[in-house]
Amino acid sequence: MTNKSSCLVSAIVSVLLVQLLFSPSSSLQPLAFDDSSVYETFLQCLESYLSPNDQISNLVFTSTNSSYTSVLQAYKRNARFNSDLKPLIIVTPTSIPHVQYAVLCTRRIGYRLRIRSGGHDFEGLSYVSDSPFFLIDMSNLRSIEVNIETNSAWVQSGAILGEVYHAIWEKSKVHGFPAGVCPTVAVGGHFSGGGYGNMMRKFGLSVDHIVDAQIVDANGDLLDRKSMGEGLFWAIRGGGGASFGIVISYKIELVEVPETVTVFQVESNPDEGALYLGKADDVVSLLSKDFPELGLKRQDCTEMSWIESVLWYASLNYRSSPKVLLDRKVVRSPNDTNSAKRKSDFVVNPVSREGLGDILKRVAGQLQFSMAFSPHGGEMSEIPASSSPFPHRAGNLYKIEYVGNWNEAGEKAERAVMTQLRRMYSFMAPLVSKNPRRAYVNYRDLDIGKMSHGKGYRSYEEGKVYGMKYFHGNFDRLVKVKTEVDPANFFRDEQSIPTLPMKL
């Protein structure tokens, strides 16, 4: 038997064993409770693990607690889900053991668990559910330890990107990290889905610079790269960490940046071309030679430091103190009523000038709908598609993000924006990738497929529908890792990685 066949058989046997263990006749079956007793039972379980110094009132919140609403809303970034089912219990761990205990107690009770780092999931899957659930809020686990001598940093999942950039800048003015432009996005979700940023053509994605990690698995065990194995380590670098466990922290490899960078913005109308946004040293002479159509002039450019460019891309005053990046409300207030929806595409064949003109005319004048284009190439084309679960490498010209934002409450306003997005998405079908039409997992989109609750989120065939779009040729490898590390499918949601189908 080959190693590959042996692993497959082992994974299937693991599924069978777990299903037997949790069958009605098993003494290990999760306990059955009515909602009135769940809280007390969870507290009793948690207290059996906690030390006398732990203040449980600062760790566990229910709807009867005066702080419950503020804790829930603090990182709820999308008003679309304000009326959805709320968690019965919110756990706000301040140490790694708290996470381990919460996993063990939640699994023992038999409830579902959602994990929230920064709350930017566009379908709210990190903090809403269609059945009773508990929520682990990771925002207190936000430590960042930068070591310039080793060009590395340990970053906990609850840290936001602004804090990461600031911590690096405090230690060095010539180091940075390739990640996103929104400073309030948290590390946990951003890294585990790939991590786009404005330096990706030079350095690739965030996941391409992760060298170690810590994760709490379904058994409550804390694992690092060595103990988790290369399979799981590969999976949580772009495959969506919440399918496999709770990622506590990542060890990242820093990159060198010049003391001076240049940012520029050139705008033109649909009859002249398109909208471009970028940065580079000596960009005027470079683009005058290689891209004269852009018409870039020296007055379009602004020289600044790398940390100032972080502020500039976040639409902040780049001359202000970088300490503004430490403000978790800098981009969006927790009480903001904005609603949001995203969709995504990848383009593999050049779109004609006429086609681009049609796209721009459809978008022009829209106040609640727009499109953002992220060019690939450079280092993105050099990294193999199998190096991480993120498969959109060589052959992809750029990614498209369909952006829908609205302030008005109610179904009518939501329906209007959703209709615009979906019509544009349909219009773009002939121009983008096919078989399957691909998507970016960090722009979560339930329109492209989801698990049916009635099937217990176990359907491989349902998972394959959206899984192939997000992960393409890496999907089946993710399924095998999932089956090995979480055969009972404890960590699951409407678009999680499924386990292998059971074959009798």
Side-chain angles (χ1 to χ4, degrees):
M1 182 180 293
T2 65
N3 289 337
K4 183 176 181 180
S5 299
S6 178
C7 291
L8 181 60
V9 171
S10 175
I12 294 174
V13 169
S14 296
V15 174
L16 290 170
L17 287 174
V18 169
Q19 291 179 340
L20 287 171
L21 286 173
F22 286 88
S23 67
S25 61
S26 171
S27 61
L28 296 180
Q29 182 185 9
L31 300 175
F33 304 98
D34 56 45
D35 286 349
S36 62
S37 64
V38 167
Y39 176 58
E40 289 301 325
T41 305
F42 183 81
L43 280 186
Q44 291 172 8
C45 178
L46 203 59
E47 287 174 337
S48 70
Y49 291 108
L50 295 175
S51 72
N53 295 326
D54 288 314
Q55 297 293 322
I56 199 166
S57 60
N58 296 328
L59 299 175
V60 181
F61 301 86
T62 69
S63 58
T64 60
N65 187 291
S66 60
S67 300
Y68 173 87
T69 299
S70 62
V71 172
L72 177 62
Q73 294 289 64
Y75 297 98
K76 197 171 186 179
R77 305 284 184 177
N78 199 331
R80 283 174 60 201
F81 309 109
N82 282 346
S83 61
D84 285 65
L85 183 66
K86 295 176 174 56
L88 180 64
I89 292 174
I90 303 175
V91 183
T92 58
T94 57
S95 70
I96 296 174
H98 293 161
V99 178
Q100 297 174 274
Y101 306 154
V103 168
L104 292 171
C105 293
T106 303
R107 188 174 183 184
R108 177 58 175 158
I109 292 174
Y111 265 53
R112 294 173 61 188
L113 189 63
R114 293 294 163 100
I115 304 107
R116 182 176 71 179
S117 296
H120 284 82
D121 188 301
F122 287 114
E123 294 289 4
L125 298 188
S126 63
Y127 55 84
V128 299
S129 174
D130 57 6
S131 62
F133 70 107
F134 298 163
L135 170 66
I136 293 186
D137 185 297
M138 299 290 287
S139 58
N140 290 326
L141 296 177
R142 61 174 78 171
S143 73
I144 304 167
E145 299 177 2
V146 178
N147 187 330
I148 294 300
E149 292 183 0
T150 61
N151 287 334
S152 66
W154 272 104
V155 183
Q156 288 192 319
S157 292
I160 58 174
L161 297 182
E163 294 166 345
V164 176
Y165 298 147
H166 184 272
I168 297 171
W169 169 78
E170 278 193 314
K171 293 293 183 71
S172 170
K173 305 303 183 282
V174 291
H175 285 83
F177 188 73
V181 299
C182 177
T184 60
V185 167
V187 163
H190 188 67
F191 286 9
S192 68
Y196 268 85
N198 54 22
M199 296 195 292
M200 67 180 188
R201 282 172 50 84
K202 175 68 174 178
F203 297 112
L205 305 176
S206 299
V207 294
D208 301 321
H209 299 269
I210 293 173
V211 296
D212 204 345
Q214 291 180 311
I215 187 172
V216 172
D217 67 10
N219 297 317
D221 294 327
L222 178 65
L223 309 172
D224 61 10
R225 178 175 182 173
K226 182 178 180 180
S227 57
M228 78 175 74
E230 289 302 303
L232 179 53
F233 180 68
W234 173 84
I236 61 175
R237 292 181 299 115
S243 286
F244 306 94
I246 301 179
V247 178
I248 300 295
S249 61
Y250 288 101
K251 185 179 182 181
I252 60 175
E253 188 178 60
L254 307 182
V255 301
E256 294 184 2
V257 296
E259 292 184 0
T260 301
V261 302
T262 302
V263 299
F264 69 90
Q265 179 169 302
V266 178
E267 298 182 11
S268 58
N269 64 49
D271 292 328
E272 294 175 346
L275 172 67
Y276 301 89
L277 187 67
K279 71 184 189 68
D281 280 326
D282 303 319
V283 69
V284 175
S285 59
L286 177 65
L287 292 184
S288 295
K289 176 183 176 181
D290 295 339
F291 197 179
E293 297 88 347
L294 188 62
L296 184 67
K297 300 179 177 59
R298 181 63 183 84
Q299 57 264 34
D300 298 322
C301 305
T302 305
E303 292 185 345
M304 58 184 67
S305 66
W306 172 74
I307 197 67
E308 288 175 332
S309 76
V310 170
L311 300 175
W312 187 86
Y313 272 98
S315 300
L316 300 170
N317 181 357
Y318 73 92
R319 295 299 186 191
S320 63
S321 170
K323 288 185 178 180
V324 70
L325 296 171
L326 304 180
D327 183 354
R328 290 182 165 236
K329 299 179 182 179
V330 67
V331 170
R332 209 176 204 184
S333 166
N335 298 318
D336 202 318
T337 58
N338 281 358
S339 295
K341 169 69 177 179
R342 296 291 188 272
K343 299 180 76 66
S344 60
D345 264 321
F346 287 88
V347 175
V348 296
N349 295 311
V351 177
S352 67
R353 184 180 181 88
E354 292 74 17
L356 288 173
D358 289 341
I359 293 171
L360 291 169
K361 288 175 182 177
R362 284 174 175 264
V363 176
Q366 299 290 344
L367 299 179
Q368 298 174 316
F369 164 59
S370 62
M371 296 171 67
F373 297 75
S374 298
H376 281 219
E379 186 67 10
M380 289 291 288
S381 295
E382 300 298 321
I383 300 172
S386 61
S387 66
S388 74
F390 179 92
H392 317 289
R393 303 288 188 168
N396 289 276
L397 301 178
Y398 50 89
K399 170 181 62 64
I400 299 175
E401 177 187 7
Y402 303 85
V403 180
N405 296 315
W406 65 101
N407 296 319
E408 301 86 350
E411 293 184 5
K412 182 178 180 180
E414 178 174 337
R415 185 166 56 249
V417 178
M418 292 289 198
T419 298
Q420 287 181 322
L421 279 170
R422 289 166 179 157
R423 283 178 177 171
M424 192 66 196
Y425 185 76
S426 177
F427 169 79
M428 292 294 296
L431 306 176
V432 298
S433 61
K434 302 173 180 64
N435 303 317
R437 184 174 183 174
R438 303 188 188 184
Y440 178 40
V441 69
N442 270 1
Y443 299 154
R444 186 79 69 178
D445 181 8
L446 292 181
D447 290 351
I448 68 172
K450 63 179 181 179
M451 289 285 188
S452 299
H453 177 58
K455 295 186 179 181
Y457 297 96
R458 286 186 177 277
S459 173
Y460 170 83
E461 291 304 322
E462 285 185 338
K464 187 175 181 178
V465 173
Y466 57 81
M468 290 295 291
K469 295 172 184 176
Y470 288 141
F471 307 113
H472 202 235
N474 294 326
F475 173 68
D476 280 333
R477 183 177 174 186
L478 286 168
V479 172
K480 291 177 182 178
V481 173
K482 168 72 171 180
T483 306
E484 292 169 359
V485 303
D486 184 20
N489 202 23
F490 174 68
F491 293 107
R492 65 187 187 273
D493 58 46
E494 288 82 351
Q495 281 195 343
S496 56
I497 302 298
T499 53
L500 281 168
M502 183 178 63
K503 297 180 180 180
L504 298 176

